[in-house]
Amino acid sequence: KGEDYLAGRDVSTDELMATFSLRGIQFGESLSNKERQRWVNEAFCALHDLAKVIGFKPRWLGLGRGDERLALAIGARGHGAFAAHYEPQLRVINLTRDSGADSLAHEWAHGLDHYMAQVTFSADQQFKSPTTLITDVMVDVAAKTHRPALQRQLSLLMQEFGRSQDNAFYQAALRIEALKGARKSYWQTPSALWARSFDAYVQDALSAKGESSPWLVHGTRTRDQHDPLVSAYPDGEQRQRLQQLRNAQERTLAQFDFNALTRVFDVCRG
């Protein structure tokens, strides 16, 4: 529900990659041509919605240049019970054929997490591993960073969802991990809390405009949860605080980190 980006037409894989500066798209062999086309169309709309929500130009969503840009895999690299996952080694967002359709915002958030460690703050401090995420090493970023405004916003955001005391979001993550069969030592990690708070931010921003984008994000609201005590997403006043911090962080990132990048793109385009 929202803006019509397709206008009744099918989008080609080349247009999808060019519009969002993606490195490539991989499809699983089990996907029919009809399924592939629907995925391309829906991903095209979902990524446009994402760009609109966070204030990025569509071509910034690829997060980089050349071989360092994000790539998308659909029904090709999924495994186990996971609907989707992000591979930092290859900078690939993987969405499973049957249940990955509402995970695009979540996995892109992991890609952004990775990008900020490897690119945004790399001038301040070289991290040991090319797979390092900023949420895992935020405390290690130099105090005299060249990006103090962004560092300050990120620190405030992570303090809100990462503190162990008086934090309903974190406590719910612990209760999820205590459930039989749940993935251990995952739900409470900074990167997981980061991505799920981003999910809530995106869905709320769309809802505020009377829009929805279920291939981008879905199911983060309180009424969507079977039991609020084991909700994977922030709720109540804490959710509102996180939304405000997210707004500030996204504005800071868009204004600072991609100003230089867009000039590079514009020069390359002639």
Side-chain angles (χ1 to χ4, degrees), residues 161-200:
F161 65 60
R163 54 190 166 85
S164 58
Q165 300 297 321
D166 190 28
N167 182 349
F169 186 28
Y170 182 84
Q171 294 300 322
L174 294 180
R175 284 191 286 270
I176 292 173
E177 289 191 0
L179 295 174
K180 183 178 180 180
R183 185 178 178 184
K184 308 302 180 184
S185 302
Y186 165 73
W187 295 89
Q188 62 179 293
T189 61
S191 61
L193 295 168
W194 159 275
R196 297 202 305 280
S197 72
F198 184 80
D199 289 340

Side-chain angles (χ1 to χ4, degrees), residues 90-107:
L90 300 175
R91 299 179 188 264
V92 177
I93 290 173
N94 303 281
L95 305 173
T96 61
R97 174 187 181 183
D98 296 327
S99 54
D102 61 355
S103 303
L104 189 50
H106 185 96
E107 301 308 328

Side-chain angles (χ1 to χ4, degrees), residues 17 28 33 57 66 73 79 89 98 100 108 116 122 126 129 133 140 143 160 163 195 209 211 218-219 233 240 253:
M17 289 188 292
N33 290 336
K57 294 183 179 180
H79 58 86
Q89 300 92 335
D98 296 327
W108 188 88
M116 284 193 287
S122 62
Q126 293 292 335
S129 169
L133 306 177
D140 297 327
E160 174 61 37
R163 54 190 166 85
K209 298 179 180 180
E211 300 181 0
H218 181 69
Y233 304 97
Q240 297 305 313
L253 183 64

Side-chain angles (χ1 to χ4, degrees), residues 27-36 39 74-76 96-97:
F27 294 102
E29 294 182 359
S30 64
L31 270 73
S32 66
N33 290 336
K34 183 176 180 180
E35 286 179 298
R36 295 184 185 196
W39 268 103
I74 299 168
T96 61
R97 174 187 181 183

Side-chain angles (χ1 to χ4, degrees):
K1 184 192 298 182
E3 187 173 347
D4 181 8
Y5 304 106
L6 296 175
R9 66 189 178 91
D10 285 332
V11 174
S12 68
T13 54
D14 288 341
E15 183 178 355
L16 178 63
M17 289 188 292
T19 300
F20 302 104
S21 193
L22 299 175
R23 188 177 78 246
I25 302 176
Q26 178 185 11
F27 294 102
E29 294 182 359
S30 64
L31 270 73
S32 66
N33 290 336
K34 183 176 180 180
E35 286 179 298
R36 295 184 185 196
Q37 185 61 66
R38 186 181 182 193
W39 268 103
V40 170
N41 289 351
E42 297 288 0
F44 185 81
C45 296
L47 290 172
H48 266 301
D49 284 333
L50 177 60
K52 179 174 62 176
V53 164
I54 63 177
F56 277 22
K57 294 183 179 180
R59 66 178 182 271
W60 294 354
L61 293 185
L63 297 177
R65 292 174 289 165
D67 291 340
E68 294 185 347
R69 292 173 294 167
L70 291 178
L72 185 63
I74 299 168
R77 305 170 68 87
H79 58 86
F82 306 123
H85 68 282
Y86 173 72
E87 294 183 25
Q89 300 92 335
L90 300 175
R91 299 179 188 264
V92 177
I93 290 173
N94 303 281
L95 305 173
T96 61
R97 174 187 181 183
D98 296 327
S99 54
D102 61 355
S103 303
L104 189 50
H106 185 96
E107 301 308 328
W108 188 88
H110 286 314
L112 178 62
D113 189 355
H114 184 223
Y115 177 89
M116 284 193 287
Q118 302 300 321
V119 179
T120 304
F121 289 99
S122 62
D124 303 322
Q125 181 171 339
Q126 293 292 335
F127 301 114
K128 293 181 180 179
S129 169
T131 62
T132 294
L133 306 177
I134 199 63
T135 52
D136 292 330
V137 295
M138 192 65 209
V139 295
D140 297 327
V141 175
K144 294 183 179 179
T145 176
H146 297 303
R147 299 152 177 81
L150 181 57
Q151 183 196 26
R152 183 168 56 254
Q153 297 298 343
L154 289 172
S155 295
L156 290 171
L157 182 62
M158 292 179 65
Q159 287 171 16
E160 174 61 37
F161 65 60
R163 54 190 166 85
S164 58
Q165 300 297 321
D166 190 28
N167 182 349
F169 186 28
Y170 182 84
Q171 294 300 322
L174 294 180
R175 284 191 286 270
I176 292 173
E177 289 191 0
L179 295 174
K180 183 178 180 180
R183 185 178 178 184
K184 308 302 180 184
S185 302
Y186 165 73
W187 295 89
Q188 62 179 293
T189 61
S191 61
L193 295 168
W194 159 275
R196 297 202 305 280
S197 72
F198 184 80
D199 289 340
Y201 168 75
V202 172
Q203 186 168 12
D204 284 356
L206 289 168
S207 296
K209 298 179 180 180
E211 300 181 0
S212 63
S213 188
W215 284 62
L216 178 63
V217 62
H218 181 69
T220 75
R221 292 167 297 189
T222 302
R223 65 173 181 263
D224 301 323
Q225 310 308 309
H226 175 70
D227 182 352
L229 290 178
V230 288
S231 171
Y233 304 97
D235 190 20
E237 293 182 4
Q238 185 178 28
R239 185 174 178 122
Q240 297 305 313
R241 289 195 301 273
L242 282 166
Q243 304 307 60
Q244 293 171 2
L245 291 169
R246 278 281 180 191
N247 274 324
Q249 179 246 312
E250 299 299 344
R251 285 197 304 268
T252 304
L253 183 64
Q255 291 167 1
F256 175 82
D257 201 53
F258 287 88
N259 281 341
L261 185 58
T262 189
R263 287 196 292 272
V264 171
F265 279 126
D266 288 340
V267 170
C268 291
R269 287 160 62 106

